[in-house]
Amino acid sequence: MKNFMKRYRLFIGLAVINILLIAVFPDIGLKSVNITWSNTLEMLSVIPPIFILLGLLDVWVQRDTMIRLMGEKSGIVGALIAFLLGSAAAGPLYAAFPVAGVLLKKGSKFSNVLVFIGAWSTTKIPLLLFETSSMGWRFTLVRFLINIPGIALIAYTTEKLLNKNEKALIYEKAGTMD
């Protein structure tokens, strides 16, 4: 019971807040519950396909292949693969983190995983198409050209700032002992 409470404390806390909101401010409370329900349904529609794809990635792509393509010695090729994977992705940003975990587990270089997350969050192809139709191609091109070096700078700076023990802990949390 103690582990259950510890593991789900945030969920339980939010449920209590929603109940209190309904009791004190019924309109706001019901709106909060409706938003929570809508977000839950959205997550339930996104997460299962992501985990199916992760299972396939885990089985189909050998660790040696991932290390060769995106590992420590992959260089610019690894970063480009990470960027293309992130840009081609669909779905909300929270779906990128389980994928990032599998990439780490398979031996991807940490900075390449950060490039993947950065690309997922800012350069997704569907986002670029929508942005071009809404804001124009000049705005999209300028933002895209600013984001590319920004993603690289953040990824490589973060990797350099982490010491060996911190990186080891991250890889350990992802399920590998590299």
Side-chain angles (χ1 to χ4, degrees), residues 42-43 45-47 50 89-98 120-121 124:
E42 179 188 336
M43 283 182 54
S45 70
V46 170
I47 296 297
I50 292 293
L93 182 59
Y94 60 78
F97 294 104
W120 186 305
S121 66
K124 286 192 291 191

Side-chain angles (χ1 to χ4, degrees), residues 10 56 60 69 80 85 106 146 150-152 156 178:
L10 183 62
L56 294 174
W60 287 348
L69 293 174
L80 286 173
L85 283 173
K106 290 287 190 174
I146 290 171
I151 291 168
Y156 292 104
D178 284 342

